[in-house]
Amino acid sequence: MQQHHHRQPELVEGSLPVFVFPTELVFYADEQTSHKQVLTLYNPYEFALKFKVLCTAPNKYSVVDATGAVKPQCCVDIVIRHRDVRACHYGVYDKFRLQVSEQSQRKALGRKEVTATLRPSASQETPSPRPQDEERRIKEQFAESEFFEQTAFQSESRPVAGGPSLLTVLLGLVCMAALMLPTLGEQESTVPVYLHLSVNKKLVAAYVLGLLTMVILRT
């Protein structure tokens, strides 16, 4: 009986395409919610990947979980917080580099760079795309950029999680109770008919419960 071993092709260093979204992070000084951004790293491959986040200006940002792993055909969210929101940083372009490697190897199989900038206000944004000369200037600026480790800063400025709010927990309990109630049309049930929920209502409850679960996990 022959056994077929699936041999993974030899990957050349730096040749592996890296899939990250978005490719540009924009922080707004007057919007507190924009000071926290999320980069999503996708792994469409059949093998697990290790990743590392580097930055040209690590003192200005904190990266939660700057190193980690992504399972095959999965994705991971990388939270980036701007920790130095000052007017002197307006319009300055920084850069993050995501390096990925196979778990059993140290060499970087691929890398992707993401620009980051701080702007005064979202209301001052112009809808027109960035001019070509501006794109060229940014590329020239980062041609010889030095990237630094982010791991040393991930423990700083990370607020202690206060846990989910009471309202979030109560809403979650209500959704769970709704899902446990009998569905409309069930005959053998001791629960009064007016408490029987339709399938659509249960779907809404399941959707809301899913959103609440994400909120609780991120707090």
Side-chain angles (χ1 to χ4, degrees):
M1 182 178 176
Q2 292 184 342
Q3 289 186 341
H4 296 280
H5 297 281
H6 294 281
R7 293 193 61 187
Q8 187 181 307
E10 189 67 28
L11 292 166
V12 180
E13 184 172 358
S15 66
L16 189 73
V18 179
F19 300 93
V20 179
F21 182 82
T23 56
E24 181 182 15
L25 299 176
V26 181
F27 302 86
Y28 297 105
D30 65 343
E31 285 189 18
Q32 185 73 30
T33 54
S34 76
H35 298 175
K36 173 184 172 182
Q37 302 270 354
V38 177
L39 276 178
T40 303
L41 174 63
Y42 298 89
N43 178 12
Y45 305 107
E46 299 291 335
F47 50 91
L49 291 175
K50 290 189 300 184
F51 70 86
K52 178 189 291 185
V53 181
L54 306 173
C55 184
T56 54
N59 289 322
K60 290 164 63 175
Y61 306 91
S62 66
V63 181
V64 180
D65 299 327
T67 59
V70 198
K71 294 179 181 179
Q73 298 180 346
C74 292
C75 63
V76 65
D77 287 340
I78 302 167
V79 178
I80 297 176
R81 290 186 177 90
H82 203 301
R83 41 185 262 164
D84 194 2
V85 179
R86 289 185 292 162
C88 60
H89 296 314
Y90 291 170
V92 177
Y93 284 91
D94 301 312
K95 216 165 194 182
F96 289 93
R97 173 180 286 172
L98 279 86
Q99 291 184 178
V100 300
S101 58
E102 197 181 356
Q103 287 199 315
S104 59
Q105 299 178 355
R106 288 188 176 183
K107 65 180 181 181
L109 294 178
R111 60 179 62 92
K112 183 78 171 182
E113 293 176 356
V114 176
T115 59
T117 184
L118 175 68
R119 296 176 187 173
S121 174
S123 61
Q124 298 176 12
E125 286 293 288
T126 54
S128 58
R130 211 161 41 207
Q132 289 186 353
D133 56 344
E134 178 74 0
E135 292 276 6
R136 194 180 303 112
R137 185 186 67 81
I138 294 169
K139 287 179 181 178
E140 290 172 356
Q141 179 184 344
F142 292 116
E144 300 299 326
S145 292
E146 286 190 66
F147 287 85
F148 303 94
E149 296 274 357
Q150 280 288 151
T151 50
F153 301 95
Q154 66 176 353
S155 60
E156 297 182 25
S157 78
R158 186 176 181 181
V160 178
S165 66
L166 182 61
L167 179 62
T168 304
V169 175
L170 287 174
L171 279 173
L173 291 173
V174 170
C175 291
M176 289 175 66
L179 291 172
M180 292 172 68
L181 288 171
T183 308
L184 199 65
E186 288 186 17
Q187 301 297 327
E188 298 178 3
S189 176
T190 56
V191 180
V193 178
Y194 61 84
L195 288 177
H196 289 214
L197 299 181
S198 66
V199 175
N200 286 340
K201 288 181 179 178
K202 287 201 170 188
L203 285 174
V204 171
Y207 177 72
V208 173
L209 185 60
L211 292 177
L212 292 173
T213 304
M214 289 177 63
V215 170
I216 291 171
L217 289 175
R218 291 199 175 198
T219 53

